[in-house]
Amino acid sequence: SQQGEEDPQALSIQEGENATMNCSYKTSINNLQWYRQNSGRGLVHLILIRSNEREKHSGRLRVTLDTSKKSSSLLITASRAADTASYFCATRGTGANSKLTFGKGITLSVRP
Amino acid sequence: SAVISQKPSRDICQRGTSLTIQCQVDSQVTMMFWYRQQPGQSLTLIATANQGSEATYESGFVIDKFPISRPNLTFSTLTVSNMSPEDSSIYLCSGGRENTEAFFGQGTRLTVV
């Protein structure tokens, strides 16, 4: 069963605006990751944040992690039409060789 | 980042037949996984491909239906056996190292008719 639950399920914004996507999870994690998927193709890794980190940046991406609330957020600033895709959070558990468990995903549409 | 090559990229198959999907990863990868993504859905892990031994299957997936091989560190195959229309999905190969990011192939879009 999915560990992560993203919200909203769908988001539509105007180009240039910021997009915020949230993810909640249930059990202890080693790290949390965000991925992007364009039109049913392979997933592209965006950013990984470890359980002892609170915030990470990568270009226009900002990820936060609150382990007390078991939640994470992905912020895409100054969105572009090319950011239109599905976004998934995925959690890695704390056990050895723990698998990556994906949430249901968020569909982001950026209107030009 | 690791390079994951997966083929075929898509196929249309008759029910009752089998399809083998191949995945080649570069040497940065130690772990390999197979996922299924049904239309409009998230990814579901089928199994972990173990080098030189039987794959570790997740609940709801069995070896007879999804036999997996991994003869060496960088190559794995997934076979979808005795296919039915319900097997129509995107199948994704993934690789990575423990507790780091995962890299994905472009997926195999399977349609069973």
Side-chain angles (χ1 to χ4, degrees):
Chain A
S1 61
Q2 268 79 31
Q3 155 89 303
E5 293 285 340
E6 297 97 335
D7 79 86
Q9 292 188 346
L11 182 61
S12 181
I13 59 174
Q14 198 73 35
E15 201 167 31
E17 293 179 339
N18 296 340
T20 300
M21 292 169 270
N22 302 301
C23 170
S24 61
Y25 58 92
K26 297 175 182 176
T27 60
S28 297
I29 60 170
N30 177 284
N31 62 68
L32 185 144
Q33 306 176 31
W34 286 90
Y35 290 82
R36 183 185 73 218
Q37 185 180 38
N38 291 86
S39 301
R41 297 175 62 85
L43 275 72
V44 174
H45 177 262
L46 296 176
I47 197 163
L48 179 155
I49 186 165
R50 302 194 184 279
S51 60
N52 61 352
E53 298 176 312
R54 293 297 167 258
E55 185 172 316
K56 284 189 82 169
H57 298 255
S58 177
R60 293 184 296 115
L61 304 180
R62 172 178 169 252
V63 170
T64 63
L65 179 65
D66 187 336
T67 53
S68 67
K69 295 181 180 179
K70 291 186 169 56
S71 67
S72 173
S73 67
L74 171 67
L75 169 67
I76 303 175
T77 60
S79 64
R80 306 167 181 168
D83 294 328
T84 295
S86 293
Y87 290 81
F88 295 89
C89 74
T91 54
R92 179 90 69 184
T94 54
N97 296 326
S98 182
K99 62 188 179 184
L100 203 56
T101 304
F102 285 82
K104 294 180 180 178
I106 298 169
T107 300
L108 173 65
S109 298
V110 181
R111 303 185 302 273
Chain B
S1 61
V3 176
I4 313 287
S5 300
Q6 185 176 340
K7 60 181 181 181
S9 60
R10 59 176 62 227
D11 208 341
I12 300 173
C13 300
Q14 296 290 322
R15 67 178 68 200
T17 63
S18 298
L19 175 71
T20 296
I21 303 167
Q22 298 181 4
C23 181
Q24 180 77 47
V25 304
D26 69 22
S27 58
Q28 298 181 55
V29 167
T30 56
M31 304 177 71
M32 293 183 72
F33 305 91
W34 288 96
Y35 289 85
R36 181 175 73 184
Q37 185 179 28
Q38 296 181 306
Q41 302 296 312
S42 185
L43 280 71
T44 300
L45 181 63
I46 297 172
T48 302
N50 298 311
Q51 182 186 354
S53 64
E54 188 173 296
T56 304
Y57 289 85
E58 297 299 308
S59 176
F61 297 96
V62 295
I63 188 171
D64 289 346
K65 177 66 176 177
F66 298 101
I68 289 170
S69 77
R70 188 180 175 190
N72 56 55
L73 191 63
T74 61
F75 184 77
S76 178
T77 66
L78 166 73
T79 298
V80 186
S81 302
N82 188 25
M83 289 183 285
S84 66
E86 291 71 34
D87 295 320
S88 296
S89 281
I90 298 172
Y91 292 85
L92 293 150
C93 171
S94 171
R97 291 181 173 271
E98 186 175 340
N99 289 329
T100 64
E101 66 267 40
F103 300 96
F104 285 82
Q106 285 300 300
T108 297
R109 185 181 294 272
L110 171 63
T111 303
V112 183
V113 297

